């Protein structure tokens, strides 16, 4: 473009390497001069969003953003800090299987391999397990079997339980569980022998590995050792 001033400005929208040529004319004669221009790539500036607080087993949404002065294309990668990743979108959702403070990192890379990152912290709080039911079979000569089903939104938790049989005795019982996303499910069983006849209240509490206890479940047990006629 012709200009009456001996200088000009131009902005490259992408990284570039090549000559810039100036031509001067007095209307009759012309002359040119050349210089080399190198435009370096600029990496994206990335914002992963604000810190968040949630509960284990509850999915949350992320909202990342970035700016880039170049006319580039970009790839997007999320690292959720728990061994899981996502790519392609600035607004993924993710849930955590255990309580902890997780560092979440968003990385944006342009087509010239310039990369920028931003991070946030997700504070995941523990959730106590829940007991679905407490069942007992029919007592036989003072012995009874008890079982209960339980669940926990923290699918990475381990569990223990305590049976109180109402006669002063207690037992942790045997736990069998499946740690499959989106939650932990399991059963706990115990067997107890009552030495005396009577009505007893059995109480069960489930506890996760972070010390959170379920609401107790109870069952009424009637022990009658009278032999059949």
């Amino acid at each position: 473009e012709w200009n009456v001033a001996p200088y000009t400005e131009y902005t490259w929208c992408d990284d570039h390497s090549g000559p810039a040529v100036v031509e001067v004319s007095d209307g009759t004669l012309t002359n040119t001069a050349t210089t080399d221009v190198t435009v370096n790539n600029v990496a994206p500036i990335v914002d992963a969003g604000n810190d968040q607080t949630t509960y284990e087993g509850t999915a949350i949404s992320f909202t990342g953003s970035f700016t880039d002065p170049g006319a580039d294309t970009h790839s997007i990668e999320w690292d959720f800090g728990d061994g899981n990743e996502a790519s392609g979108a600035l607004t993924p959702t993710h849930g955590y299987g255990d309580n902890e403070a997780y560092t979440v990192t968003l990385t944006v890379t342009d087509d010239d391999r310039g990369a920028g990152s931003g991070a946030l912290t997700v504070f995941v709080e523990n959730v106590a397990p829940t007991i679905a039911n407490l069942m007992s079979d029919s007592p036989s000569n003072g012995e009874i079997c008890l079982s209960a089903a339980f669940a926990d939104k923290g699918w990475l938790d381990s569990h223990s339980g305590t049976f109180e049989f109402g006669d002063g005795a207690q037992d942790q019982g045997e736990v069998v569980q499946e740690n499959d996303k989106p939650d932990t499910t399991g059963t706990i069983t115990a067997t107890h022998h009552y030495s005396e006849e009577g009505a007893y209240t059995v109480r069960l509490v489930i506890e996760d590995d972070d010390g959170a206890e379920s609401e107790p479940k109870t069952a009424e047990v009637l022990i009658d050792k009278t032999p059949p006629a």
Side-chain angles (χ1 to χ4, degrees), residues 9 16 38-39 50 62 75 79 107 134 154 165 193 204 222 226 228:
E9 294 181 352
H16 172 78
T38 299
V39 180
N50 297 325
F62 298 90
S75 61
D79 183 342
T107 301
L134 175 57
F165 298 107
H193 181 81
L204 171 63
L222 180 61
T226 303

Side-chain angles (χ1 to χ4, degrees), residues 175-198:
V175 172
V176 177
Q177 66 178 55
E178 294 182 358
N179 296 81
D180 294 327
K181 188 177 180 180
D183 57 10
T184 295
T185 57
T187 59
I188 182 170
T189 57
T191 301
H192 183 65
H193 181 81
Y194 290 92
S195 59
E196 301 291 338
E197 294 183 345

Side-chain angles (χ1 to χ4, degrees), residues 30 104 174 202:
T30 61
V104 179
E174 182 179 353
V202 179

Side-chain angles (χ1 to χ4, degrees), residues 89-161:
L90 287 169
T91 55
T93 59
H94 185 66
Y96 293 88
D98 202 2
N99 54 300
E100 192 178 324
Y102 296 90
T103 298
V104 179
T105 305
L106 168 62
T107 301
V108 179
T109 306
D110 65 24
D111 53 0
D112 300 300
R113 299 184 179 180
S117 296
L120 62 94
T121 302
V122 176
F123 301 94
V124 181
E125 298 183 4
N126 188 47
V127 176
T130 58
I131 302 173
N133 51 41
L134 175 57
M135 300 182 295
S136 63
D137 66 357
S138 299
S140 176
N141 196 27
E143 187 168 277
I144 191 168
C145 294
L146 300 119
S147 64
F150 68 90
D152 192 329
K153 289 187 176 181
W155 65 82
L156 298 178
D157 289 345
S158 58
H159 299 83
S160 61

